[in-house]
Amino acid sequence: MIPTITAFERSPDRGRGLARDMRVRWALEEVGQPYEVRLLSFGDMKEPAHRRLNPFGQIPTYEEGDLALFESGAIILHIAERHPGLLPDEPNARARAITWMFAALNTVEPPVFERSLTFILDRDKSWYADRMAVLDERVHARLGELSHHLGSADWLDGAFSAADLLMVTVLRRLGSSGMVEKFPNLSDYVARAEARPAYQRAFGAQLEVFNSTSSAG
Ligand code: GTB
């Protein structure tokens, strides 16, 4: 059965692949599962039809037959559990990879997300510079810890897994801030992940949406 995901009709990131449908597209590409995409406007996301899929009125969602999921982490875990390639088979290695999925979403993403929101929404505030200094320090500390763990390894724990996929999408959110580049092993890690053919296909697909909807006026 071909799953359907939802994505922004016009992503505010202007095709940079920072919205969370990117991680779902990437996971589906990694496992070789074709998918369809339903594009939604901000208005569509708040309509009852979409809130039945995601009570919070957000993208991405995932529909597969009778199953409807929201939360990108849960969607990726579902994909990884049903297809080979994104989680190790050995039970302890699998549990560790799932731990790193949670670490990406619950330990690294919150300060990164908070910094991005402040950067986007609060630049005109009198307290912006002080707040950004605090947030930068928090993000820098997390990146330092992550860099220390990664060391000279290619991936977080053995082979590439759904944990790396999530972690890299979180690190990409730091964009041109230069924060990841302060840790060369982390910028190499992101580059290594972005070079994966599945990543390239997913990135191209979301960029294609941006190009087609932005040229439509
Ligand atoms: N915890 C949920 C998940 O992981 O699925 C969070 C989902 C979420 O935040 N969805 C966002 C959304 O639907 C899009 S991805 N927002 C619309 C709304 O809440 O009304 C977050 C996002 C948005 C924009 C950029 N950007 O422009 O760079 C990056 C990421």
Side-chain angles (χ1 to χ4, degrees):
M1 181 158 305
I2 305 278
T4 299
I5 68 168
T6 52
F8 284 132
E9 185 176 62
R10 286 181 192 221
S11 182
D13 71 6
R14 306 183 60 77
R16 284 177 297 151
L18 299 177
R20 290 185 175 97
D21 60 295
M22 174 64 199
R23 38 179 80 158
V24 178
R25 292 173 183 274
W26 184 8
L28 289 164
E29 291 288 354
E30 287 284 349
V31 302
Q33 171 64 57
Y35 60 98
E36 287 172 1
V37 184
R38 191 164 63 250
L39 299 176
L40 301 177
S41 68
F42 279 91
D44 296 335
M45 283 188 263
K46 308 304 171 194
E47 290 293 330
H50 185 67
R51 282 194 194 272
R52 276 194 283 279
L53 301 174
N54 180 338
F56 305 107
Q58 296 187 312
I59 59 100
T61 56
Y62 176 99
E63 294 154 80
E64 184 190 3
D66 292 343
L67 177 68
L69 297 175
F70 62 98
E71 282 300 329
S72 57
I75 295 169
I76 283 156
L77 183 57
H78 171 79
I79 295 166
E81 282 184 328
R82 273 153 189 79
H83 301 267
L86 282 176
L87 282 175
D89 290 333
E90 195 278 315
N92 286 356
R94 194 176 182 94
R96 287 197 307 274
I98 293 171
T99 299
W100 274 107
M101 292 176 72
F102 278 85
L105 299 179
N106 286 354
T107 302
V108 182
E109 187 162 53
V112 168
F113 186 71
E114 186 65 25
R115 183 190 181 281
S116 301
L117 273 193
T118 302
F119 181 73
I120 295 166
L121 300 176
D122 296 324
R123 279 197 225 189
D124 56 337
K125 308 287 192 321
S126 57
W127 41 261
Y128 174 74
D130 288 345
R131 178 74 182 144
M132 274 309 266
V134 170
L135 296 174
D136 278 354
E137 203 176 299
R138 276 188 204 153
V139 169
H140 185 78
R142 276 286 176 270
L143 295 185
E145 290 158 339
L146 183 65
S147 166
H148 181 75
H149 167 80
L150 186 65
S152 59
D154 279 355
W155 307 115
L156 290 169
D157 192 319
F160 176 85
S161 77
D164 297 294
L165 186 154
L166 285 173
M167 191 66 83
V168 166
T169 60
V170 170
L171 297 179
R172 288 193 70 251
R173 189 79 197 263
L174 290 165
S176 56
S177 68
M179 298 195 77
V180 172
E181 289 69 21
K182 289 189 179 130
F183 300 93
N185 67 336
L186 292 186
S187 47
D188 289 352
Y189 172 61
V190 172
R192 194 176 300 125
E194 288 178 339
R196 294 177 71 83
Y199 174 94
Q200 298 281 326
R201 289 193 295 274
F203 187 87
Q206 64 76 39
L207 182 60
E208 171 70 34
V209 171
F210 175 73
N211 287 338
S212 60
T213 54
S214 62
S215 61

